[in-house]
Amino acid sequence: MGKDQLEFKRWKAYNYVIQNRWRGVLMGISNELNSLEIIEFMLCNNYYGVSTSLINEILAYQSVTPIPNAHSCVEGIFMPRNKMITAIDLGGCLQIGTANSNGFFVVAQVDDTEVAFHIDSVVGIHKVEKEEIRDMGHFVPKDGYTDGAIRINKKLVILLNFENIVRDVNPEELTMQLEEDKIKEVFDE
């Protein structure tokens, strides 16, 4: 086989890979519109989940420094890798108890802030169809801490809305974000 033929075969194979990669990407985008990847975790013997798109990392629990006059759901602050992160007592926010001290932190990016949510344990990551997510009913506010519930492996997993939790714990962050959005709107006009 000549050099030109070998180059042509390489080009043809490369082109095939690129075409299929784009086909896969486009199919993935189509599937992503209908599905959601969540991380499932336990807190006070209940199962919860949140979209993995918010999650930066999961850390083993470490001691925190309490913040004077902070919201009752704020455990304190800690500094992994010289980055200050606020730790939130998720069980306290949900009014179900407190996570155990040998649990984990789910570190999430909420707006422009990294926040650590104290949980008991991580169960796993699941890809779920959005149509499988069920409304929580009339007794749960639409803008509350939950986005719905889903059955995974015969367990009911409640999907949490970390953004609403952070905004409730730190309303100043919401006000600052709204003000920044208004300023952007003025300059964009």
Side-chain angles (χ1 to χ4, degrees):
M1 183 180 304
K3 186 177 178 182
D4 291 337
Q5 287 178 322
L6 185 59
E7 285 297 317
F8 178 74
K9 284 193 172 207
R10 283 186 186 152
W11 177 84
K12 194 172 178 181
Y14 175 77
N15 193 28
Y16 176 80
V17 168
I18 295 299
Q19 285 177 348
N20 283 323
R21 184 177 296 158
W22 276 108
R23 187 176 298 129
V25 166
L26 293 175
M27 288 177 65
I29 290 171
S30 172
N31 290 341
E32 290 300 316
L33 296 175
N34 298 322
S35 64
L36 178 69
E37 192 174 63
I38 64 165
I39 182 167
E40 178 188 355
F41 57 89
M42 285 192 70
L43 177 63
C44 300
N45 296 319
N46 297 302
Y47 295 94
Y48 296 95
V50 68
S51 171
T52 57
S53 65
L54 296 172
I55 307 304
N56 287 351
E57 62 185 327
I58 298 170
L59 300 172
Y61 181 81
Q62 42 193 287
S63 63
V64 298
T65 302
I67 303 171
N69 299 320
H71 189 281
S72 61
C73 292
V74 174
E75 285 186 35
I77 55 173
F78 67 107
M79 289 185 64
R81 295 179 305 282
N82 292 325
K83 184 181 351 177
M84 191 172 310
I85 299 177
T86 302
I88 293 183
D89 174 13
L90 187 56
C93 288
L94 301 176
Q95 299 176 2
I96 59 169
T98 302
N100 62 44
S101 60
N102 59 351
F104 295 89
F105 283 130
V106 175
V107 181
Q109 186 76 29
V110 178
D111 296 324
D112 292 330
T113 307
E114 269 194 321
V115 181
F117 295 88
H118 188 180
I119 64 167
D120 289 333
S121 63
V122 175
V123 177
I125 295 176
H126 309 283
K127 192 167 195 169
V128 299
E129 298 300 317
K130 289 182 180 177
E131 62 202 30
E132 296 175 22
I133 299 171
R134 302 288 177 239
D135 189 10
M136 300 282 288
H138 300 291
F139 297 104
V140 178
K142 297 284 185 219
D143 60 347
Y145 293 166
T146 62
D147 285 335
I150 189 164
R151 188 170 294 282
I152 298 175
N153 299 329
K154 300 182 181 178
K155 299 176 296 204
L156 188 62
V157 177
I158 297 172
L159 301 177
L160 298 176
N161 186 317
F162 279 0
E163 291 101 337
N164 286 349
I165 293 171
V166 168
R167 288 180 183 134
D168 192 41
V169 169
N170 187 6
E172 289 178 16
E173 180 71 29
L174 175 61
T175 304
M176 287 174 21
Q177 187 65 35
L178 290 173
E179 288 173 2
E180 286 177 15
D181 291 344
K182 286 179 186 176
I183 290 169
K184 287 178 187 175
E185 285 176 21
V186 168
F187 284 109
D188 289 341
E189 290 177 353

